[in-house]
């Protein structure tokens, strides 16, 4: 249970801090898109003979490549973010289905449910090590670039005129989001991971009057939602991933009430 | 008279299409220029070239003697109202300080706050300093963006249709501020506008382009040229004072 709480809060914090920028840029759908791209990557790993756990190492570069593809299409400016994400989402998922179908009949069966919904209670020490490394990587990258990323999110053109390397930051944001999603799929699954990105950030957006406060609130909501959801699911003996999302959804509803007042 | 901006035979092709064709003119220190032309004439492309966002295919733009791409700190820019995120959780103070630092502030120092307050006072927006951008009217928002552009003490300010989408009162107030800027002997400006009142009130010189430079001169000089009928309204309502003639070559 302690490992599950550590994993859940790490994923909650990572997704929230990236989610602030993703949501503010109107790219909320990208979490879903990259999660489904991760499915394509995991399926490719399985086709190559890896276990579900080791297939993550194939999904990682696959999903990062998809994120850079979306970033490239967005930069060309001829397609809206949701359309670009939708195309990559569908193609990656279709590839995943194709890869699974191409596996030999003798291959061991895959627990699709664990890929779709995660298995946070089955997180092992090695998974925690990987998450710790990703936490350090993403935390450092975001701490170093936060002020420039914020400026580029406000207005890319003005930021560029002030010398901010907007394109490189765009690529970095989507690539880090891809990395975090692939790591998070193990714990919360493909179907629910985008909620970790969108809900805390959207709730914090209603409460904060400056971007750094929004970021702080989002992290607190992500970590708090994950911890409270896990504890509730443990005591009520219900699905952990779904309970976490429902707790985050309740925070969002409370945020709406607070905002109205 | 020192030249702040020199456009020397600037040609821009984008995707093989000719957008600007051999544009040449200059702006001396302190001159307020209105850049006019029909839709698709290349006005926005010209601005982007001045800002260093687009490289000319041939020719060059220099600002204070340096290539446009490396003189960005000498240029202030006020975008059209529609081009920035109205929903971003930020105050006027943060926006102005972001331009000073080149990055978004987490904490604002006292000296930066004082500088932001002074520049907001210059545009009649001192009371807006701690207001969220999302709650400002169109006219107030453009004042804040004007203050943002002025805070780095630029030699040239570029205003890209700043009153588009602003209500009548806000537009009039903004024009009053621009008129005060046009009276300055220090700050040169390029105002892209379709608004006759803005040209009449502020223009010391008018540049009219349709891919090529069609006309460049005093508003009064350009009257009577049939191709410039779109700007002929400047004749009757020009506010007196401050016209600066270009250097003789």
């Amino acid at each position: 249970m302690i490992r599950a709480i550590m994993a859940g809060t790490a994923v909650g914090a990572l997704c929230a801090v990236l989610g602030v920028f993703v949501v503010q840029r109107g790219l909320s759908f990208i979490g879903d898109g990259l999660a489904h791209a991760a499915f394509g990557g995991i399926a490719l790993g399985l086709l190559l003979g890896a276990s579900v756990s080791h297939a993550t190492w194939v999904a990682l570069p696959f999903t990062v490549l998809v994120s850079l593809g979306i970033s490239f299409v967005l930069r060309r400016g001829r397609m809206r973010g949701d359309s670009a994400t939708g195309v990559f989402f569908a193609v990656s998922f279709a590839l995943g289905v194709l890869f699974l179908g191409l596996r030999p009949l003798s291959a061991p069966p895959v627990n699709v449910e664990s890929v779709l919904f995660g298995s946070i209670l089955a997180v092992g020490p090695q998974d925690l090590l990987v998450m710790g490394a990703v936490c350090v990587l993403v935390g450092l990258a975001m701490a170093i670039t936060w002020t420039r990323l914020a400026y580029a999110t406000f207005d890319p053109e003005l930021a560029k005129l002030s010398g901010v390397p907007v394109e490189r930051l765009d690529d970095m944001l989507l690539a880090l989001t891809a990395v975090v999603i692939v790591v998070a799929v193990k714990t919360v699954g493909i179907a629910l991971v985008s909620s970790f990105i969108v809900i805390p950030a959207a709730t914090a957006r209603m409460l904060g009057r400056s971007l750094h406060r929004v970021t702080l609130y989002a992290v607190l909501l992500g970590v708090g939602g994950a911890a409270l959801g896990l504890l509730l699911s443990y005591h009520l003996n219900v699905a952990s991933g779904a309970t976490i999302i429902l707790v985050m959804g309740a925070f969002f509803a409370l945020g709406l009430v607070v905002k109205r007042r | 008279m020192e030249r702040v901006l020199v456009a020397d035979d600037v040609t821009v092709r984008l995707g093989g299409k000719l957008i600007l064709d051999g544009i040449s003119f200059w702006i001396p220190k302190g001159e307020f220029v209105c850049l006019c032309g029909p839709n698709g004439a290349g006005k926005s492309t010209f601005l982007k070239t001045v800002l260093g966002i687009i490289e000319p295919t041939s020719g060059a733009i220099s600002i204070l003697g340096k290539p446009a791409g490396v003189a960005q700190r000498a240029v202030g820019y006020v975008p059209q109202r529609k081009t920035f995120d109205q929903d971003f959780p930020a105050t006027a103070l943060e926006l102005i300080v972001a331009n000073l630092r080149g990055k978004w502030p987490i904490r604002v120092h006292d000296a930066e706050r004082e500088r932001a307050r002074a520049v907001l006072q210059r545009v009649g927006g001192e009371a807006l300093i701690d207001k969220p951008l999302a709650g400002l009217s169109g006219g107030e928002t453009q004042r804040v963006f004007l203050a943002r552009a002025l805070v780095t003490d630029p030699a040239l300010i570029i205003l890209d249709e700043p009153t588009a989408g602003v209500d009548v009162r806000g537009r009039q107030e903004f024009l009053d501020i621009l008129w005060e800027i046009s009276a300055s002997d220090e700050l040169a400006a390029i105002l892209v506008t379709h608004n006759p009142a803005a040209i009449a009130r502020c223009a010391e010189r008018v540049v009219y382009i349709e891919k090529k430079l069609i006309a460049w001169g005093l508003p009064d000089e350009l009257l009577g040229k049939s191709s410039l009928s779109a700007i002929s309204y400047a004749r009757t309502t020009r506010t007196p004072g401050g016209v600066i003639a270009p250097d003789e070559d």
Side-chain angles (χ1 to χ4, degrees):
Chain A
M1 184 63 183
I2 288 175
R3 278 205 297 266
I5 287 184
M6 287 170 76
T9 52
V11 169
L14 287 172
C15 288
V17 78
L18 293 168
V20 168
F21 293 104
V22 169
V23 169
Q24 194 64 48
R25 288 168 178 230
L27 296 172
S28 300
F29 190 41
I30 208 156
D32 261 323
L34 292 177
H36 286 77
F39 173 75
I42 288 171
L44 178 61
L46 293 170
L47 176 64
L48 296 173
S51 63
V52 171
S53 187
H54 288 122
T56 304
W57 296 107
V58 179
L60 202 61
F62 184 90
T63 313
V64 169
L65 276 176
V66 169
S67 74
L68 295 178
I70 293 172
S71 186
F72 176 76
V73 171
L74 288 179
R75 194 171 303 143
R76 289 181 65 124
R78 291 184 183 167
M79 196 180 278
R80 281 163 49 105
D82 53 355
S83 306
T85 307
V87 171
F88 280 92
F89 169 139
V91 171
S92 304
F93 199 75
L95 278 172
V97 172
L98 195 70
F99 293 151
L100 284 182
L102 289 173
R103 293 173 76 224
L105 290 173
S106 57
V110 178
N111 182 356
V112 175
E113 198 173 310
S114 78
V115 177
L116 284 177
F117 302 110
S119 48
I120 196 165
L121 295 172
V123 168
Q126 210 169 1
D127 299 319
L128 274 183
L129 269 179
V130 173
M131 274 182 199
V134 171
C135 269
V136 172
L137 169 78
V138 174
L140 271 178
M142 294 305 285
I144 291 167
T145 60
W146 192 93
T147 54
R148 289 173 181 83
L149 202 52
Y151 200 0
T153 302
F154 175 73
D155 188 304
E157 191 179 40
L158 295 181
K160 210 171 182 177
L161 290 173
S162 294
V164 175
V166 174
E167 282 91 0
R168 270 188 283 156
L169 288 172
D170 290 348
D171 288 345
M172 184 204 76
L173 178 66
L174 291 192
L176 288 180
T177 306
V179 169
V180 168
I181 280 175
V182 171
V183 171
V185 159
K186 167 83 180 171
T187 53
V188 290
I190 287 163
L192 299 177
V193 67
S194 70
S195 316
F196 273 68
I197 289 179
V198 175
I199 300 177
T203 309
R205 175 64 194 87
M206 291 191 287
L207 305 175
R209 291 183 66 182
S210 63
L211 198 67
H212 65 272
R213 284 201 178 275
V214 169
T215 307
L216 181 68
Y217 295 158
V219 171
L220 290 175
L221 289 164
V223 169
L228 186 60
L230 266 170
L231 288 171
L232 277 175
S233 72
Y234 179 75
H235 288 292
L236 299 174
N237 196 25
V238 289
S240 49
T243 311
I244 293 171
I245 304 305
L246 288 173
V247 168
M248 287 179 177
F251 286 166
F252 181 79
L254 274 174
L256 282 174
V257 173
V258 170
K259 194 188 176 191
R260 277 199 163 188
R261 287 185 178 180
Chain B
M1 180 69 73
E2 185 185 359
R3 293 175 184 181
V4 174
L5 177 141
V6 177
D8 181 15
D9 200 19
V10 175
T11 296
V12 174
R13 286 179 182 275
L14 295 174
K17 192 178 170 190
L18 184 65
I19 309 293
L20 294 174
D21 185 8
I23 303 275
S24 294
F25 69 94
W26 71 83
I27 301 176
K29 185 178 176 183
E31 187 171 85
F32 198 109
V33 171
C34 280
L35 178 61
C36 306
N39 288 336
K43 301 186 296 293
S44 294
T45 302
F46 183 76
L47 289 193
K48 285 179 180 173
T49 314
V50 173
L51 290 165
I53 296 171
I54 293 176
E55 284 271 322
T57 310
S58 64
I61 290 180
S62 64
I63 293 159
L64 296 174
K66 294 177 183 167
V70 298
Q72 286 170 334
R73 295 296 285 179
V75 182
Y77 174 52
V78 181
Q80 286 183 23
R81 188 173 167 233
K82 63 189 177 189
T83 59
F84 54 84
D85 183 355
Q86 306 269 330
D87 197 33
F88 194 91
T91 61
L93 176 64
E94 287 174 310
L95 174 64
I96 293 167
V97 173
N99 197 33
L100 264 181
R101 290 191 193 176
K103 54 190 177 182
W104 202 259
I106 296 175
R107 283 191 183 161
V108 175
H109 306 305
D110 288 346
E112 291 171 325
R113 185 181 177 84
E114 181 52 34
R115 204 160 158 185
R117 191 199 58 73
V119 79
L120 275 168
Q121 191 177 34
R122 192 173 162 195
V123 300
E126 198 179 353
L128 306 175
I129 191 162
D130 290 315
K131 295 239 173 106
L133 292 178
L136 302 182
S137 69
E140 289 172 331
T141 304
Q142 289 308 79
R143 279 184 202 210
V144 170
F145 270 79
L146 181 57
R148 176 201 165 274
L150 293 172
V151 76
T152 54
D153 294 325
L156 171 69
I157 189 164
I158 291 175
L159 304 119
D160 187 5
E161 299 191 53
T163 55
V166 176
D167 61 40
V168 175
R169 188 180 164 195
R171 197 181 308 153
Q172 188 55 48
E173 288 173 351
F174 196 79
L175 285 181
D176 290 342
I177 299 163
L178 292 186
W179 185 80
E180 283 177 27
I181 288 175
S182 77
S184 158
D185 288 339
E186 296 298 318
L187 181 64
I190 302 175
L191 170 66
V192 173
T193 184
H194 293 292
N195 180 0
I199 299 172
R201 187 117 166 88
C202 304
E204 291 172 324
R205 203 167 299 277
V206 173
V207 171
Y208 190 91
I209 63 173
E210 283 185 45
K211 292 188 180 174
K212 294 183 175 192
L213 180 69
I214 303 296
W216 167 38
L218 301 175
D220 292 344
E221 289 175 351
L222 300 180
L223 302 174
K225 294 186 180 179
S226 57
S227 63
L228 299 178
S229 58
I231 56 170
S232 62
Y233 35 66
R235 171 173 38 191
T236 52
T237 50
R238 173 82 177 91
T239 302
V243 175
I244 302 166
D247 296 343
E248 293 293 325
D249 267 351

